[in-house]
Amino acid sequence: MQYEEFFRSQLDTLHREGNYRVFADLERVAGSFPVATQHAARGKRDVTVWCSNDYLGMGQHPAVLKAMHEALDKCGAGAGGTRNIAGTNHYHLLLERELADLHHKDSALLFNSGYMSNWATLCTLAARMKGCVVLSDSGNHASMIEGIRHSRAECQVWEHNNLADLREKLTAIEPGRPKLIAFESVYSMDGDVAPIEGICDLADEFGAMTYLDEVHAVGLYGPSGGGLSDRDHLSHRLTIIEGTLAKGFGVIGGYITGSHALCDFIRSYASGFIFTTALPPMVAAGALASIRHLKASSAERERMHNRVAVLRAALDSVGVPHLANPSHIVPVIVGDPVQCKSISDQLLDRFGIYVQPINYPTVPRGTERLRITPSPLHTDADIAHLVAALATIWSELSIRKAA
């Protein structure tokens, strides 16, 4: 086999389809979010970032940076090993206690990323419970899908957010079999939200466990930032709540929360936890500071939701279409990969605005989009500039189509 030829042919296919991904060379500037420095062939310049998952700008927050600097000076750079072999630092334990409290659970377990916490936990649970059936929402993240697939357990995919379809599938499963319903609270591409209470009702009726991914909601919703389950007072009804430290909390890492026995079970059996080096202590310290701040302060959440409302109204006023949803994610559907990339390039090149195009396989073909994420640090002037730029490009597209 001609290996290099195979690699090139596969890449050529992505180019032809318009799905080849180009990374913008950006340098985050501490204290200046959402401004970043773009490194390009023509030199360096400042651009405004409109697609960051650092939803609240906590990756730039003085309390977070201070905690990380202090922990770096105190503990050094790395953890020194896996959690089992010299890698458990006191900051890890403090962070796990804080996370358990955030979600009103008995215990928590840290992972190196949200991807790994989903993959390792779902894989371990489904694989080790004999006869387990996993009922997975069709919109679930790749990390959840991969974890379930790797477990080799039976998986039944239920129609996205459709309680009637979930009920039908639960009804058809033998009553004595272990059942695990896996779903997300906020779905990151369309910005729609799950019917959490209805899912919990079905889980109770059919004796199923529930696994809720709150990755795109932690920090952003609820009186203390515990996500939609916290906002809706449903945390106690969920078996497992999973989250990330890399989005609303602005650092890196993932975690699960649940009962003492459940978290200890995953700690003891999940290879994705056992055989990987622990998070650096300074990262745990930064996440700890971020969570504590957002537990006490709702100002960042309130300001972010205000920015979302202002942006949506401004887009409506100039006729730029966007998906309606109850979350902080503003998807502007383009529907063509080449055009989506072109709009993104124009925003960056002509207007100094960075919004990464979202193409297949992240979203289905024909639903390519710009995924805009307003933060509390975007100003009225930032919003006006973005909307004016989009309006200009949309008008030019309409003229070209008409011609």
Side-chain angles (χ1 to χ4, degrees):
M1 181 175 180
Q2 298 298 317
Y3 300 110
E4 288 297 313
E5 183 178 329
F6 170 78
F7 301 146
R8 285 193 292 269
S9 70
Q10 294 297 298
L11 292 170
D12 287 344
T13 299
L14 291 178
H15 280 288
R16 284 196 304 273
E17 293 176 344
N19 290 322
Y20 182 78
R21 300 178 185 217
V22 178
F23 296 159
D25 185 353
L26 302 177
E27 183 178 314
R28 281 161 65 91
V29 182
S32 297
F33 185 81
V35 173
T37 301
Q38 180 195 15
H39 294 259
R42 59 187 175 190
K44 297 192 296 184
R45 64 167 180 163
D46 287 345
V47 298
T48 303
V49 178
W50 274 100
C51 57
S52 175
N53 282 343
D54 185 0
Y55 292 131
L56 299 176
M58 291 303 293
Q60 309 279 314
H61 196 281
V64 175
L65 301 185
K66 181 175 182 289
M68 294 185 76
H69 279 296
E70 289 176 352
L72 176 62
D73 291 338
K74 184 177 181 181
C75 301
T82 65
R83 289 289 298 274
N84 188 51
I85 304 176
T88 294
N89 188 279
H90 188 56
Y91 284 113
H92 297 130
L93 301 180
L94 291 175
L95 178 53
E96 286 173 339
R97 291 172 198 163
E98 201 73 37
L99 288 165
D101 179 74
L102 175 69
H103 292 292
H104 313 289
K105 295 296 184 185
D106 297 332
S107 192
L109 188 66
L110 278 173
F111 291 83
N112 285 21
S113 69
Y115 192 105
M116 183 53 70
S117 55
N118 271 336
W119 186 93
T121 303
L122 286 167
C123 177
T124 303
L125 283 172
R128 297 198 70 88
M129 288 191 295
K130 186 176 180 180
C132 181
V133 181
V134 183
L135 297 109
S136 178
D137 186 285
S138 63
N140 279 343
H141 189 265
S143 58
M144 302 173 78
I145 295 168
E146 287 300 316
I148 296 164
R149 181 180 295 148
H150 192 74
S151 75
R152 299 186 181 180
E154 180 182 343
C155 178
Q156 296 190 20
V157 178
W158 51 287
E159 187 178 333
H160 180 53
N161 281 347
N162 187 328
L163 293 177
D165 188 49
L166 177 58
R167 170 180 284 279
E168 183 178 330
K169 286 179 167 54
L170 284 165
T171 302
I173 300 170
E174 306 90 292
R177 291 184 70 179
K179 295 172 281 291
L180 174 61
I181 304 171
F183 62 108
E184 301 180 38
S185 59
V186 177
Y187 288 86
S188 64
M189 288 299 121
D190 284 351
D192 55 337
V193 303
I196 301 174
E197 185 172 18
I199 293 169
C200 289
D201 289 343
L202 288 174
D204 291 345
E205 181 180 347
F206 289 93
M209 296 192 303
T210 47
Y211 184 101
L212 175 61
D213 176 322
E214 286 266 34
V215 160
H216 292 276
V218 289
L220 313 182
Y221 301 88
S224 58
L228 292 189
S229 56
D230 181 33
R231 183 197 69 181
D232 297 341
H233 309 291
L234 294 169
S235 302
H236 65 288
R237 299 191 61 189
L238 294 151
T239 312
I240 304 159
I241 299 176
E242 182 268 350
T244 185
L245 304 170
K247 294 181 172 63
F249 296 127
V251 193
I252 187 67
Y255 64 88
I256 60 166
T257 63
S259 70
H260 286 304
L262 187 147
C263 290
D264 198 18
F265 171 79
I266 300 300
R267 183 188 71 89
S268 300
Y269 285 102
S271 64
F273 174 83
I274 295 169
F275 296 107
T276 191
T277 299
L279 285 172
M282 63 178 177
V283 169
L288 181 63
S290 183
I291 294 165
R292 286 176 173 172
H293 175 84
L294 290 172
K295 276 183 174 180
S297 171
S298 62
E300 290 82 4
R301 286 187 285 278
E302 292 170 2
R303 173 71 173 174
M304 181 203 71
H305 291 298
N306 167 267
R307 301 289 81 192
V308 172
V310 170
L311 174 62
R312 285 187 180 278
L315 290 173
D316 287 340
S317 71
V318 296
V320 174
H322 55 95
L323 281 183
N325 62 51
S327 77
H328 59 284
I329 294 165
V330 183
V332 174
I333 304 298
V334 178
D336 176 85
V338 175
Q339 194 170 82
C340 193
K341 177 67 166 59
S342 172
I343 294 171
S344 173
D345 289 344
Q346 290 183 66
L347 285 171
L348 188 59
D349 295 341
R350 296 169 58 187
F351 301 99
I353 293 169
Y354 173 56
V355 186
Q356 183 72 10
I358 307 294
N359 292 346
Y360 178 84
T362 305
V363 295
R365 287 186 173 91
T367 69
E368 293 81 7
R369 68 198 60 192
L370 303 174
R371 177 182 176 274
I372 300 172
T373 54
S375 81
L377 299 173
H378 284 98
T379 65
D380 287 340
D382 292 331
I383 292 173
H385 182 51
L386 170 65
V387 171
L390 284 170
T392 297
I393 295 170
W394 239 256
S395 175
E396 292 170 353
L397 284 173
S398 298
I399 292 170
R400 285 201 293 272
K401 286 178 181 177

